[in-house]
Amino acid sequence: MARRISLKTAVNEAIDQAMQLDPTVIMLGEDIVGGAGAPGEMDAWGGVLGVTKGLYAKHGDRLLDTPLSESAYVGAAIGAACCGMRPIAELMFIDFMGVCFDQIFNQAAKFRYMFGGKAETPVVIRCMVGAGFRAAAQHSQMLTPLFTHIPGLKVVCPSTPYDTKGLLMQSIRDNDPVIFCEHKNLYALEGDVPEAPYAIPFGEANVVREGRDVTIVTYGLMVHRSLEAAATLAKEGIDVEIVDLRTLSPLDIDTVLESVTRTGRLVCVDEASPRCNIATDIAAQVAMHAFKALKAQIEQVAPPHTPVPFSPTLEDLYIPSAAQIAQAVRRTTGGK
Amino acid sequence: MSNPASGNPCVGIIANPVSARDVRRVIANASTLQLTDRVNIILRALAALRALGVRQVLMMPDKVGISSLLLRGLARERTLGNAMPDVAFLTMEITSSAEDTRCAVRLMRAAGVCSILVLGGDGTHRAVVRELYLGSTADAPRIPIAGLSTGTNNAFPEMRESTVTALAVGLHATGRIPAERALAGNKLLEIDVNGGAIRDIAIVDAAVAFDRFIGARAMWKPDNLHSLFLAFGEPTAVGLSAIGGLLQPVSPRAPGGLAIRFGDGRAGSAGAIELTVPFAPGLIRSVQIAAWTAIEAGQALPVDLPGGSMALDGERELVFAEGDAVTVTLRENAFPTVDVPGCLHFAAQHGLFRHPATSQ
Amino acid sequence: MAANNPFPLSRDALLGCYRRMRTIREFEDRLHIDFGRGDIPGFVHLYAGEEAAAVGIMSHLGDGDRIASTHRGHGHCIAKGVDVGAMMKEIYGRKGGSCEGKGGSMHIADLSKGMMGANGILGAGAPLVCGAALAAKFRGKGEIAICFVGDGASNQGTFLESLNLAAIWNLPALFVVENNGYAESTSRDYATAVNSYVDRASGFGLPGVVVDGTDFFAVHEAAGEIIRRAREGGGPSLLECKMVRFHGHFEGDAQTYRANGELEDLRANHDCLKKLAAQLTSAGVASAAELADIDRQVLALIEQAVVDAKAAPLPSAADLLTDVYVKY
């Protein structure tokens, strides 16, 4: 039975059900319970934004609050994953990857290959991504391309509550390390989500809007900005198709190529910085594999190559807008 | 020899960086005196020595952190304008073993120090005394030591603030107190294997154990004990000497010692008693005593176990086999120590710390 | 225990430990020669001289106990029971190696033996071991996990963070600092502000013990106590083994940072294998002839491992692309 729940609740429900289904699922992170050792109540926070609130009451000590010590606890999650557990480590913001990156890219990502295929590291590292929270340069980044660059990691960034639950269930049952990116500005978004557990396979992009004229390839919050743009463009007679990648590694390039082959036009929309990001990767792959189908030059919509600014005025200018996306689409159609 | 009152007295300092690091930390929550604390103890002692006019100090060097931390500390004191003695590190090969202590003692003796301040446990003090006692000729001047304990498991060195110990050392070194009032004589146990093939000493206790290997050195298993010889044993002690201390105390200053034979561990052994003792810090154990007897100085007492090991001042040091003839002999007045309370009482009685008031 | 055996291990166990130590020594000495001849690609960091630590500790462990090793990991692998033939093939970059030729000397792992990998990143094993110990705690079977670091890597934040994490969760995790005096070519005294690993442990409320890492029985006895404590729920501790490195940081290191005569002295007076052999023979537990016989068997084993490694197939182009993911 589906009911409308928020994306935040979908995260909570996926972890809850995964813990019910598999006793080896544990979770580690800063304040994921909240109040450990303090005189007040346990489960005071349930994560800094309350995403994991209530799980402690159901699963107790399988949720471990950690010290502010990302290298140690992310590494511990990875070590436990090599020893029969399925840990979920919550790294509050993807920006904090810098302090524990070695454990992710030199350890977890490489064990399987480096140990000749004899290791499995079923760890999920959940983190918040994206701008718009007035959280400034060190709590607002979209660092997804850092992780897609690294062989051995899988990278997921859902845009809807339905995808969030299904992809997180898959991430937890997956036997490879997964970086699971939750856009903090989508936590309140509601949508239909089945109550029963389900998993969405990795590497399957979702065509969230079908259209004839232009293909937009994007993920995360930008899916919604692109839908807004498409609604505006529809009134102008431009019929846009939107591909939500959902998983950035593995990448469903076939769906992208098929769509571009039909529409002949491509706009890549990415909230990550404009150099070497997901958008430029898609653009390059389309140029390499479907060049002859292109009727116009490929367009990218991305933030400027700057840190994320604090002032709301500046931050709003920084984040790609529906208007910028619509304008990019118009450039590919010559204003039609 | 820089005799006391020679005008430019030199004091040696031997600080063991690795004492209080054995397996008793894990077994019984024994304390760990940190390197920074050890270096601060030395800095306080140096300040006290300098205040009494000792301008020269010879230090044992090490590669384990005391030297480098001390140099940093001395540089800081210089920058702050605080008076400190000139500290010279001995030029010697550093092996990071007890051999460093022995080598440092030899070099300090050759350099003519008037006393040696020792920071460590029973083992460190034993190593210093061993070299002073076994390594010197009968007519050589005897260099007194002053001990500072680094741990909670020591019977020989006192737990005393280093400033106070250094004041006593300084009073003696600068000739303010005559040797017969400043120094005290101490007992030790001389160990001999096969008529001088191996000679060693213990300054508190020599324990005979069944194990025939050295292993992790520390003694923490009562069942492993065969017999025990004590130069002294006080009821306030922790460790092997506490067995004697709680059975029949012998003071460090009193003549004679004690020999104890342990039971074989079976309940109801003839004549045996059970004694509850603080075997190590935080480790209260029962030991079975078969017999005990006072011992006199000068008697070579045989060890009647065909093969085993001997722990000297709490650490397994030598292994002997069947056929080895091992004896233990108590020696009295074998080496001098600076009598810290004696020195300071003398100083008080004679007004050594009083000076005419200076007018402003 | 036989009446004539004064040691806390059976004669068979003692000879087994001697054999493992000899196997490590022979393995490393052979690599030293083969690397010098140009037979082996890449970097190798040799463990020779440090065998008593690996074997003294690992003799208390089973396959369910996990260890994370360092770049100097061959000794840990052999002591933990990783197949010597597979290791040799790995170091030669061949198929059939412990990691099918994809890891090499610095990444040998065998999870079935509880060996979580040598590691090219210094200090990286410490958080992993916290995780292994956490998993052991959830399993509740009394298993433990041990992190090995050198004196140099003890300056890594990961190491210090892991001491803290292990302490607050009372993990069955042990931290072994293999102190051979050199972080690559840089001396401990220069690189470490407070030159005591026990002091670091006590800063986190963990007990720390220092042992002579060249004395098998000293390591074995102390390790036995800290491992027993961890298995029984007593939590983490630190063991510092003071030991000596017979070779350079890596093969090809001219070691001009050492003192004159230092290496000769180490080999003559601080050789843990010589010490163990002397202890076993003088106590009458084994004869010199018996030990020599083990030495010959080990020599043959290593020779065979090299022959097999050289004969083993090289990986194919198809192998380049496999095992990045379990399933992609």
Side-chain angles (χ1 to χ4, degrees):
Chain A
M1 253 293 280
R3 70 263 116 95
R4 282 183 79 73
I5 59 171
S6 68
L7 188 146
K8 180 166 123 177
T9 306
V11 172
N12 186 292
E13 191 168 284
I15 297 169
D16 182 20
Q17 291 180 351
M19 284 190 149
Q20 284 175 35
L21 291 168
D22 184 346
T24 67
V25 176
I26 58 172
M27 187 169 169
L28 304 79
E30 291 157 359
D31 306 298
I32 58 165
V33 176
E41 59 166 351
M42 273 299 267
D43 205 17
W45 279 14
V48 71
L49 294 185
V51 175
T52 47
K53 181 94 177 159
L55 293 177
Y56 181 75
K58 295 179 190 167
H59 304 289
D61 292 340
R62 288 166 68 191
L63 288 97
L64 293 112
D65 271 341
T66 65
L68 304 184
S69 190
E70 286 85 0
S71 280
Y73 81 78
V74 169
I78 292 162
C82 297
C83 299
M85 307 299 283
R86 287 190 181 275
I88 305 165
E90 178 179 301
L91 193 62
M92 209 176 279
F93 296 94
I94 200 169
D95 314 68
F96 301 170
M97 290 287 183
V99 290
C100 56
F101 204 25
D102 177 72
Q103 290 293 326
I104 298 167
F105 92 101
N106 263 329
Q107 311 298 327
K110 294 192 170 56
F111 284 160
R112 183 158 184 82
Y113 192 82
M114 197 164 73
F115 299 161
K118 293 168 190 166
E120 292 185 356
T121 312
V123 65
V124 182
I125 299 168
R126 289 180 47 235
C127 53
M128 281 190 264
V129 295
F133 233 63
R134 314 318 189 196
Q138 295 171 343
H139 290 69
S140 302
Q141 296 168 88
M142 178 59 80
L143 296 175
T144 42
L146 290 185
F147 300 94
T148 55
H149 187 70
I150 295 158
L153 295 179
K154 292 176 177 172
V155 184
V156 182
C157 188
S159 66
T160 67
Y162 176 86
D163 285 355
T164 297
K165 180 173 173 183
L167 288 168
L168 186 49
M169 293 292 283
Q170 176 57 37
S171 298
I172 296 167
R173 71 171 62 164
D174 202 275
N175 286 329
D176 288 313
V178 179
I179 310 294
F180 193 87
C181 304
E182 299 164 17
H183 202 295
K184 47 179 117 43
N185 275 328
L186 290 176
Y187 273 143
L189 179 75
E190 294 199 339
D192 287 345
V193 177
E195 275 178 49
Y198 62 96
I200 298 173
F202 286 171
E204 292 187 10
N206 189 18
V207 178
V208 296
R209 188 186 195 282
E210 293 185 357
R212 291 185 312 275
D213 302 328
V214 182
T215 300
I216 294 178
V217 178
T218 189
Y219 62 96
L221 175 71
M222 289 298 118
V223 171
H224 302 278
R225 295 282 159 93
S226 299
L227 283 165
E228 259 182 75
T232 305
L233 292 164
K235 293 174 197 154
E236 301 168 18
I238 303 173
D239 192 14
V240 173
E241 176 148 309
I242 300 174
V243 177
D244 177 358
L245 293 170
R246 302 200 290 193
T247 66
L248 309 176
S249 185
L251 181 72
D252 180 5
I253 195 65
D254 292 346
T255 296
V256 173
L257 293 175
E258 187 278 325
S259 175
V260 174
T261 305
R262 258 190 299 107
T263 62
R265 296 179 180 87
L266 173 65
V267 176
C268 303
V269 183
D270 196 346
E271 198 184 322
S273 300
R275 300 277 322 281
C276 304
N277 64 5
I278 307 299
T280 58
D281 183 40
I282 298 289
Q285 296 211 42
V286 169
M288 286 187 286
H289 303 299
F291 187 74
K292 286 180 181 160
L294 289 171
K295 300 170 191 162
Q297 75 176 21
I298 300 168
E299 290 286 336
Q300 179 189 210
V301 183
H305 198 56
T306 69
V308 181
F310 164 65
S311 166
T313 313
L314 293 175
E315 191 183 29
D316 290 345
L317 286 168
Y318 171 90
I319 304 168
S321 66
Q324 283 172 299
I325 296 167
Q327 200 51 41
V329 170
R330 290 185 197 107
R331 286 197 294 274
T332 64
T333 59
K336 180 221 154 185
Chain B
M1 173 108 187
S2 68
N3 286 312
S6 71
N8 194 11
C10 179
V11 169
I13 298 181
I14 289 176
N16 183 347
V18 291
S19 62
R21 295 287 194 250
D22 67 53
V23 71
R24 282 171 289 213
R25 302 326 103 176
V26 168
I27 292 157
N29 305 309
S31 67
T32 296
L33 188 69
Q34 300 212 353
L35 278 188
T36 45
D37 293 325
R38 292 174 204 232
V39 169
N40 288 339
I41 286 170
I42 298 167
L43 286 168
R44 299 199 298 273
L46 289 172
L49 289 171
R50 180 66 179 78
L52 290 187
V54 175
R55 290 170 176 276
Q56 283 188 21
V57 166
L58 270 182
M59 279 286 302
M60 178 180 82
D62 71 289
K63 286 191 212 162
V64 194
I66 296 243
S67 305
S68 51
L69 271 179
L70 185 63
L71 286 170
R72 256 184 265 160
L74 286 169
R76 184 185 65 232
E77 294 300 317
R78 259 199 312 278
T79 308
L80 295 172
N82 297 329
M84 282 286 183
D86 292 329
V87 177
F89 286 89
L90 295 167
T91 306
M92 55 182 260
E93 189 191 349
I94 301 168
T95 63
S96 297
S97 68
E99 175 53 29
D100 290 352
T101 299
R102 295 194 283 270
C103 178
V105 170
R106 287 194 292 273
L107 292 172
M108 285 178 184
R109 186 168 46 206
V113 298
C114 48
S115 53
I116 299 176
L117 192 61
V118 182
L119 180 67
D122 286 344
T124 312
H125 287 81
R126 175 182 154 270
V128 172
V129 173
R130 185 183 188 278
E131 185 60 36
L132 287 171
Y133 180 78
L134 295 180
S136 48
T137 51
D139 56 345
R142 303 204 299 174
I143 301 170
I145 65 168
L148 288 167
S149 173
T150 49
T152 46
N153 196 25
N154 300 316
F156 184 81
E158 297 166 327
M159 285 294 271
R160 196 186 294 283
E161 166 51 32
S162 67
T163 313
V164 176
T165 300
L167 284 175
V169 169
L171 289 168
H172 165 259
T174 53
R176 290 176 169 95
I177 303 180
E180 64 272 18
R181 299 295 300 271
L183 307 180
N186 296 271
K187 295 179 278 188
L188 59 69
L189 298 163
E190 205 177 303
I191 289 84
D192 181 288
V193 183
N194 298 335
I198 299 173
R199 286 178 75 209
D200 213 320
I201 64 143
I203 54 177
V204 183
D205 50 61
V208 180
F210 293 105
D211 275 350
R212 274 187 280 154
F213 70 102
I214 302 289
R217 305 195 93 88
M219 295 285 293
W220 72 90
K221 293 172 186 160
D223 295 349
N224 194 20
L225 286 174
H226 169 266
S227 51
L228 177 66
F229 300 87
L230 292 175
F232 65 91
E234 295 189 293
T236 50
V238 171
L240 291 171
S241 73
I243 297 173
L246 294 171
L247 204 57
Q248 181 176 315
V250 188
S251 140
R253 300 281 173 257
L258 199 67
I260 298 166
R261 180 66 177 271
F262 296 99
D264 63 4
R266 284 192 299 258
S269 294
I273 61 159
E274 293 277 331
L275 185 75
T276 301
V277 291
F279 200 78
L283 201 69
I284 314 302
R285 288 288 180 273
S286 204
V287 292
Q288 197 181 74
I289 312 278
W292 70 94
T293 178
I295 59 174
E296 286 177 20
Q299 292 181 341
L301 304 166
V303 169
D304 56 345
L305 179 67
S309 58
M310 203 145 197
L312 304 177
D313 297 322
E315 297 202 342
R316 282 167 277 170
E317 287 287 343
L318 53 96
V319 175
F320 57 93
E322 197 165 2
D324 288 332
V326 185
T327 62
V328 179
T329 309
L330 179 73
R331 303 287 182 197
E332 288 171 354
N333 195 21
F335 66 99
T337 48
V338 175
D339 177 359
V340 176
C343 283
L344 289 158
H345 278 113
F346 182 95
Q349 281 164 10
H350 293 81
L352 297 185
F353 286 103
R354 296 187 197 184
H355 307 284
T358 48
S359 54
Q360 293 293 314
Chain C
M1 195 183 300
N4 64 353
N5 177 0
F7 300 116
L9 291 103
S10 70
R11 189 184 114 93
D12 284 353
L14 284 167
L15 293 181
C17 288
Y18 175 84
R19 180 185 297 271
R20 283 218 163 150
M21 284 171 62
R22 174 58 69 188
T23 305
I24 297 170
R25 176 68 54 85
E26 210 60 64
F27 190 90
E28 299 294 61
D29 284 353
R30 180 60 189 258
L31 289 184
H32 177 70
I33 294 167
D34 288 7
F35 189 88
R37 272 203 297 254
D39 291 355
I40 295 169
F43 297 122
V44 286
H45 307 82
L46 301 183
Y47 194 78
E50 308 186 358
E51 295 87 348
V55 176
I57 292 164
M58 247 68 93
S59 57
H60 295 285
L61 304 186
D63 289 349
D65 299 311
R66 305 315 212 279
I67 66 160
S69 172
T70 69
H71 58 296
R72 199 175 305 289
H74 305 161
H76 303 139
C77 289
I78 293 172
K80 197 72 174 67
V82 179
D83 180 70
V84 169
M87 287 177 63
M88 192 64 85
K89 288 188 186 117
E90 187 60 36
I91 290 165
Y92 270 80
R94 304 290 171 133
K95 290 273 277 185
S98 307
C99 307
E100 302 296 337
K102 284 176 164 173
S105 162
M106 262 190 288
H107 304 296
I108 298 175
D110 185 344
L111 295 163
S112 70
K113 293 284 179 192
M115 167 62 193
M116 296 173 70
N119 210 310
I121 307 297
L122 301 183
L128 299 173
V129 152
C130 286
L134 182 65
K137 202 172 172 180
F138 272 103
R139 263 196 303 277
K141 293 181 183 165
E143 296 156 344
I144 60 150
I146 300 186
C147 161
F148 290 87
V149 293
D151 46 285
S154 75
N155 282 328
Q156 291 279 14
T158 45
F159 180 69
L160 301 169
E161 287 189 34
S162 299
L163 292 179
N164 184 61
L165 196 67
I168 66 162
W169 287 346
N170 198 42
L171 295 176
L174 304 176
F175 299 89
V176 175
V177 177
E178 294 184 319
N179 180 352
N180 61 26
Y182 293 100
E184 305 197 357
S185 72
T186 304
S187 81
R188 208 173 53 223
D189 216 23
Y190 169 82
T192 310
V194 175
N195 198 345
S196 163
Y197 309 99
V198 169
D199 285 7
R200 294 189 177 196
S202 69
F204 296 96
L206 270 59
V209 175
V210 180
V211 290
D212 176 357
T214 68
D215 181 344
F216 169 80
F217 290 107
V219 176
H220 179 270
E221 193 173 27
E225 291 298 331
I226 66 172
I227 288 168
R228 181 182 55 76
R229 174 183 154 118
R231 287 198 200 288
E232 292 173 359
S237 345
L238 180 145
L239 178 66
E240 176 187 345
C241 297
K242 296 163 77 74
M243 44 213 258
V244 298
R245 193 178 81 194
F246 280 179
H247 296 285
H249 166 63
F250 50 72
E251 282 310 277
D253 176 1
Q255 304 184 69
T256 51
Y257 46 82
R258 290 200 195 254
N260 281 334
E262 180 178 321
L263 271 175
E264 293 72 14
D265 173 60
L266 297 183
R267 286 182 181 271
N269 302 314
H270 302 280
D271 183 337
C272 60
L273 252 174
K274 277 188 198 162
K275 284 188 192 181
L276 179 60
Q279 285 163 322
L280 295 180
T281 50
S282 72
V285 171
S287 68
E290 281 176 298
L291 298 185
D293 197 40
I294 292 176
D295 293 353
R296 272 191 297 277
Q297 291 167 18
V298 167
L299 191 63
L301 173 83
I302 301 299
E303 177 58 33
Q304 190 60 48
V306 172
V307 168
D308 291 349
K310 287 180 171 169
L314 293 161
S316 66
D319 296 317
L320 178 65
L321 303 179
T322 58
D323 290 323
V324 180
Y325 296 91
V326 178
K327 181 170 170 288
Y328 198 109

